[in-house]
Amino acid sequence: MNGDKFDVIIIGGGASGLFLASQLSPRLSVALLESNERVGKKLLATGNGKCNLTNLDMNIVHYNKPNIVEDILDRFDAHDTIACFEKMGLITKVVDKRVYPYSECASTVLDILRREVDRAGTHIFTSHFVNFIESFNDTFNVSGVIKHEDKPNEAFKLCADAVVLATGSPATFGKDSTNLYTAFGHTVRPMTPCLVPIKTDKEPIKGLQGVRVKAGVRIGYRYEVGEVLFKDFGVSGIAVFNMSGEIARGRAHSGDMLTLDFMPEYSRAEVEEILRKRDGGRTVAELLTGTFHSKLQERIMNAAGCEADDKAVGKIGAIANAIKNYRLTIEGLGDASLAQVMSGGLNPREFDDSLMSMKAKGAYAIGEALDIDGDCGGYNLQWAWSSAKTVAVAIAKQLL
């Protein structure tokens, strides 16, 4: 295959790369290069294996760069995604505005995409690691290494009129290949784990490993209510994952405070009133029993400066404050292996409204390769679909 010429080379066989291949005209010769031994590996892990395709509440405030994503999401929105996948044969369902395959199984989505990519006539090359791209006379030369298990690795080189970087990020099974475009003069914001557990100081979470609660989570001016799961190193859960973006995007830092509200449905005054009505001469432990997990009760008492057998009278204000304003000091972000996405990547302002490079005509970038990341709930996959569709339309105008 050395020296073979294609119309388009897609680097990366994840969600965005596969969707792009499915949307390109069969009249185009397309090569898709994937460094893993199979395509769609990371897609199988999305949404805890359920593959949250998109969200009917497709508000741009869920993204780190809302002004950049707005136009692209308008061109191909959540309803377009649903319609497109249903046309492919996928049945979907909506749960709390989150859209899933009816099977609630990510492999169903991958099967559909692979079938459509095959129908489009795409040539898929797995275990192909791209390490260099150069542009010469309006043609891109893409070179790298083919990894073999039973024989020495071998070099390869392909050519194309258009090249698309769809390599994703180091989150989970992905790979950061943004350096392939720095040779064109592009700048990159270093990738940081995002949608990931947050590391905190250990004392306030002592003994809480595995405890789940519904709580309000606040970092700075951002506040969200959702599930919080305590880990031995910090906190996890959907609400925490979304808050991790504040750190990944540089709006919060180690040493800043993360606060938990264990009764988010009530105001501070209402919590005090609830506690006073329950008092009746009870001890602090008796006051909290029946409201919180026993391990969490211990932490709340500790934060309020109370002992279990103290009389609740005179302690209610401190207890209410601990319930509504439980403070954890941020120590950092969880490892990339725990992250759903990474924050960072190629500067999207160096690409035009069709996501073509302003520094190398015919070079495009989609999905996580660009410095665009969203909250949990289907927002990152929607960006993958929307950015891929935008490039599919642009390539058709360029080459057909």
Side-chain angles (χ1 to χ4, degrees):
M1 59 177 278
N2 272 331
D4 285 359
K5 175 76 185 307
F6 295 88
D7 293 315
V8 184
I9 292 177
I10 302 169
I11 304 171
S16 61
L18 288 170
F19 191 73
L20 170 60
S22 77
Q23 299 301 298
L24 289 172
S25 170
R27 289 184 287 157
L28 295 170
S29 59
V30 180
L32 188 151
L33 310 182
E34 168 57 46
S35 61
N36 286 311
E37 68 280 2
R38 63 183 187 273
V39 297
K41 191 174 180 180
K42 183 177 176 181
L43 183 62
L44 293 175
T46 59
N48 291 322
K50 294 182 178 181
C51 197
N52 183 186
L53 288 167
T54 186
N55 198 304
L56 296 182
D57 177 27
M58 194 45 59
N59 193 312
I60 59 173
V61 300
H62 292 288
Y63 292 91
N64 65 327
K65 290 182 168 59
N67 294 335
I68 291 175
V69 303
E70 184 173 19
D71 181 53
I72 290 172
L73 293 178
D74 282 346
R75 286 184 244 163
F76 192 83
D77 62 15
H79 298 286
D80 295 318
T81 294
I82 296 168
C84 187
F85 273 101
E86 289 187 345
K87 185 178 180 181
M88 293 181 190
L90 185 75
I91 299 175
T92 61
K93 66 179 179 182
V94 180
V95 180
D96 296 328
K97 294 189 177 182
R98 298 184 180 209
V99 181
Y100 296 89
Y102 187 80
S103 65
E104 292 194 13
C105 187
S107 63
T108 308
V109 179
L110 181 56
D111 289 343
I112 286 285
L113 283 172
R114 292 193 65 167
R115 186 181 70 189
E116 293 302 305
V117 168
D118 287 342
R119 284 180 176 175
T122 302
H123 300 267
I124 296 179
F125 302 99
T126 56
S127 299
H128 279 58
F129 291 75
V130 177
N131 54 34
F132 190 66
I133 306 172
E134 63 177 348
S135 177
F136 182 73
N137 288 341
D138 295 326
T139 297
F140 293 96
N141 298 317
V142 178
S143 56
V145 174
I146 308 171
K147 294 270 184 139
H148 297 291
E149 290 185 2
D150 53 354
K151 61 180 181 179
N153 298 336
E154 62 178 304
F156 74 87
K157 183 176 180 180
L158 300 173
C159 305
D161 296 317
V163 64
V164 184
L165 193 65
T167 48
S169 73
T172 319
F173 306 109
K175 186 172 181 282
D176 178 6
S177 295
T178 51
N179 63 299
L180 294 173
Y181 273 27
T182 56
F184 298 142
H186 282 288
T187 56
V188 177
R189 184 166 71 90
M191 290 192 175
T192 304
C194 192
L195 301 190
V196 68
I198 296 175
K199 297 178 181 178
T200 69
D201 54 331
K202 308 301 185 294
E203 181 58 32
I205 59 173
K206 187 177 180 181
L208 294 179
Q209 163 76 7
V211 174
R212 294 176 186 269
V213 297
K214 180 182 179 183
V217 185
R218 184 183 299 279
I219 294 179
Y221 292 107
R222 185 166 181 181
Y223 177 80
E224 183 166 326
V225 177
E227 181 186 83
V228 174
L229 170 63
F230 289 97
K231 300 282 192 176
D232 57 1
F233 60 82
V235 285
S236 186
I238 291 177
V240 172
F241 271 36
N242 285 339
M243 286 294 159
S244 70
E246 297 299 292
I247 305 168
R249 298 164 188 170
R251 294 196 285 259
H253 307 86
S254 294
D256 289 349
M257 204 61 60
L258 179 155
T259 60
L260 299 174
D261 178 357
F262 296 124
M263 296 184 75
E265 303 90 343
Y266 302 98
S267 67
R268 162 67 187 274
E270 288 171 331
V271 171
E272 284 200 34
E273 182 62 22
I274 290 169
L275 294 175
R276 291 188 196 285
K277 286 181 178 179
R278 288 171 56 87
D279 184 0
R282 289 186 171 93
T283 64
V284 172
E286 290 171 336
L287 186 71
L288 295 176
T289 298
T291 305
F292 302 108
H293 188 287
S294 59
K295 295 294 184 182
L296 185 55
Q297 291 176 37
E298 294 175 11
R299 292 293 91 204
I300 290 172
M301 286 188 285
N302 183 269
C306 305
E307 298 293 337
D309 55 1
D310 288 346
K311 288 296 183 181
V313 175
K315 305 286 187 178
I316 286 176
I319 295 169
N321 186 62
I323 291 171
K324 294 291 291 180
N325 190 37
Y326 195 81
R327 297 161 66 84
L328 305 174
T329 302
I330 296 169
E331 293 187 350
L333 293 166
D335 188 74
S337 64
L338 302 174
Q340 292 186 9
V341 299
M342 302 287 276
S343 182
L346 294 163
N347 185 350
R349 298 188 185 282
E350 296 170 356
F351 293 78
D352 65 18
D353 59 5
S354 68
L355 298 181
M356 184 173 72
S357 167
M358 295 178 182
K359 300 176 183 293
K361 183 181 178 181
Y364 301 84
I366 58 178
E368 280 190 82
L370 290 163
D371 184 8
I372 301 289
D373 62 87
D375 291 340
C376 287
Y379 297 102
N380 289 290
L381 274 183
Q382 182 60 54
W383 170 248
W385 316 136
S386 296
S387 59
K389 185 64 176 182
T390 295
V391 169
V393 172
I395 286 176
K397 291 179 180 178
Q398 177 191 345
L399 301 180
L400 293 177

